[in-house]
Amino acid sequence: MFQINDNYQKLPGSYLFSTIAKKVAAFSEANPDKSIIRLGIGDVTQPIAPAIIDAMHKAVDEMADVKTFRGYAPDLGYEFLRKAISDNDYKARGCDIEADEIFVSDGAKSDSGNIQEIFSQDNRIAVCDPVYPVYVDSNVMAGRTGTYDAATGMWSNVIYMPCTRENNFVPEFPKETPDMIYLCLPNNPTGTTITKARLQEWVDYANKVGAVIIYDGAYEAYISEDNVAHSIYECEGAKTCAIELKSFSKNAGFTGVRLGYTVVPKELKCGDVSLHGMWARRHGTKFNGAPYIIQRAGEAVYSDAGKAQLKEQIAYYMKNASTIKSGLQEAGFEVYGGVNAPYIWLKTPEQMTSWEFFDYLLEKANVVGTPGSGFGPSGEGYFRLTAFGSYENTVAALDRIKAL
């Protein structure tokens, strides 16, 4: 008889945002007269910028003409997009990343879940706590995390790097030596980040101990402080120890369009084995390329008009973040984030657990957020709100929360 991958059975409950969706759906069904404001999942609400829409329309027209029709995309991405990424996201910042070191995909979530496939099952991972749950969950599915302790919410073979109020939500070097280090900066969910100088220390540490850094820079476009790196490759030596994941979802509103990329430098090796070559093999075997129309949309992100329009969108969301942060502070909440990322991280009031505050906010204010415990054990007692809603809904949600 066939057998299943038992590692899937180790996962506790359903995926965080699936659980939230089920709770909200049940509340809506029981209270059809209630108007719910959703500031939970990090989904954008502003329409795709005109310059990008124009590029998509043009690409659609090309697909209707036999002379310009495109079939399968190149496995690793069209050269026009990879070059635009290389020129704008890297070389313009002094990073020596070539177009052929960039792998175009359908989003950073896919890549962050799939990248672990090229590493040994025996590797130990280190993760910030709290952090985006896909890092741990995908390693659970691969059988790399050991056993789960429901009392602590921790896995026996995972090295946790607590990011708490006491250390300003910034990870410290782990006491145990990891093989793979996941860093998400600016951080989801806390909204905090680290200086370029501190990031250089992480690069030096990884090179020293022989670890690889999986660096998730999905929120790079929201960085506002000058001393924060936009790419790990701004740090000396990063090309021999780091893989970088990037997304078009948050900087260009592609959550429903789907586009991202991963950088694997050619210098990154395990002995004589090239991780660049391994990821190229995996990518070519299991992925048929992002659609031509979407890749043309990605190229338009780097046009002069695209850059200007997206700068306005990012400013819109960060205005929401500032509004939420200042409003909650006025209401007496302890609040973090909202400066280099579109997330607000707040301490739950009156010693409520994260899920108790979720239920309270949903039932009393009809506002949806995300329980901090869903991002890791150190997230207990905290709560995440997103700035990706409309400004009108953001203000309305704050009014409801203040009235509690």
Side-chain angles (χ1 to χ4, degrees):
M1 183 177 177
F2 69 87
Q3 301 294 313
I4 61 169
N5 181 349
D6 286 331
N7 294 313
Y8 278 65
Q9 305 305 110
K10 298 177 183 177
L11 289 164
S14 60
Y15 181 56
L16 171 63
F17 296 105
S18 298
T19 302
I20 291 172
K22 290 174 184 176
K23 277 179 163 283
V24 175
F27 180 83
S28 295
E29 185 176 352
N31 302 274
D33 58 320
K34 302 294 185 182
S35 173
I36 296 175
I37 298 177
R38 301 170 190 265
L39 299 180
I41 191 169
D43 196 1
V44 296
T45 54
Q46 295 302 294
I48 292 174
I52 299 170
I53 290 294
D54 289 345
M56 293 175 74
H57 279 300
K58 181 180 178 182
V60 168
D61 290 339
E62 289 180 47
M63 298 296 277
D65 187 332
V66 68
K67 299 186 187 67
T68 52
F69 171 78
R70 307 288 182 112
Y72 286 124
D75 289 344
L76 311 184
Y78 282 103
E79 178 66 18
F80 62 77
L81 177 57
R82 297 168 88 192
K83 186 177 187 306
I85 293 169
S86 173
D87 289 347
N88 290 274
D89 287 350
Y90 294 101
K91 291 184 177 178
R93 296 193 176 110
C95 304
D96 183 24
I97 296 295
E98 299 298 330
D100 62 359
E101 294 177 298
I102 295 164
F103 298 79
V104 177
S105 72
D106 60 355
K109 181 177 183 179
S110 299
D111 288 349
S112 63
N114 293 330
I115 195 69
Q116 51 78 29
E117 289 186 19
I118 66 173
F119 296 98
S120 167
Q121 192 177 39
D122 296 331
N123 283 351
R124 290 198 70 187
I125 69 167
V127 296
C128 296
D129 172 30
V131 81
Y132 187 44
V134 169
Y135 309 149
V136 172
D137 287 358
S138 59
N139 279 282
V140 172
M141 294 171 176
R144 196 175 283 115
T145 56
T147 57
Y148 181 69
D149 185 336
T152 62
M154 302 172 78
W155 294 88
S156 62
N157 206 39
V158 173
I159 300 170
Y160 291 88
M161 301 182 290
C163 298
T164 65
R165 175 174 46 183
E166 288 69 32
N167 62 10
N168 296 314
F169 302 100
V170 170
E172 299 170 359
F173 296 140
K175 293 181 175 62
E176 301 174 83
T177 302
D179 301 298
M180 300 161 61
I181 304 166
Y182 285 83
L183 293 179
C184 176
L185 298 166
N187 182 264
N188 174 18
T190 65
T192 55
T193 192
I194 61 177
T195 64
K196 180 179 176 180
R198 180 58 174 163
L199 184 59
Q200 180 67 60
E201 292 177 7
W202 276 99
V203 169
D204 295 342
Y205 169 80
N207 277 318
K208 179 181 177 181
V209 303
V212 63
I213 297 173
I214 311 298
Y215 189 82
D216 186 344
Y219 299 93
E220 166 272 322
Y222 293 86
I223 293 172
S224 62
E225 296 179 321
D226 293 336
N227 63 345
V228 177
H230 288 257
S231 166
I232 196 168
Y233 302 116
E234 293 179 41
C235 297
E236 185 177 352
K239 293 183 72 175
T240 58
C241 71
I243 293 172
E244 184 162 277
L245 315 175
K246 288 284 187 73
S247 169
F248 287 80
S249 287
K250 304 306 192 294
N251 69 321
F254 279 29
T255 54
V257 174
R258 308 308 305 148
L259 190 66
Y261 66 86
T262 291
V263 177
V264 187
K266 292 177 183 176
E267 289 95 323
L268 182 55
K269 295 182 178 181
C270 179
D272 294 329
V273 179
S274 164
L275 270 67
H276 179 276
M278 290 184 69
W279 186 242
R281 185 69 169 90
R282 189 266 169 207
H283 212 61
T285 300
K286 294 191 173 185
F287 185 62
N288 252 349
Y292 172 72
I293 295 166
I294 306 306
Q295 293 198 48
R296 281 297 186 191
E299 180 188 33
V301 166
Y302 301 103
S303 66
D304 289 342
K307 289 177 181 177
Q309 291 162 9
L310 293 179
K311 185 177 181 181
E312 292 180 2
Q313 275 198 2
I314 289 168
Y316 178 94
Y317 291 130
M318 290 310 291
K319 179 184 178 182
N320 286 351
S322 178
T323 300
I324 296 171
K325 186 170 187 175
S326 60
L328 289 175
Q329 287 173 331
E330 290 170 8
F333 285 88
E334 184 180 314
V335 189
Y336 305 90
V339 176
N340 292 302
Y343 292 124
I344 303 299
W345 188 243
L346 62 116
K347 191 82 178 69
T348 57
E350 300 176 6
Q351 297 185 321
M352 288 186 184
T353 67
S354 297
W355 279 107
E356 285 172 348
F357 187 63
F358 173 89
D359 292 334
Y360 176 75
L361 210 58
L362 177 60
E363 293 169 7
K364 303 299 183 182
N366 309 145
V367 172
V368 177
T370 309
S373 59
F375 297 99
S378 292
E380 181 56 87
Y382 289 88
F383 201 77
R384 191 193 78 174
L385 292 175
T386 170
F388 285 122
S390 68
Y391 180 71
E392 294 74 18
N393 278 347
T394 298
V395 172
L398 271 177
D399 289 342
R400 293 182 187 181
I401 294 171
K402 287 178 179 179
L404 293 174

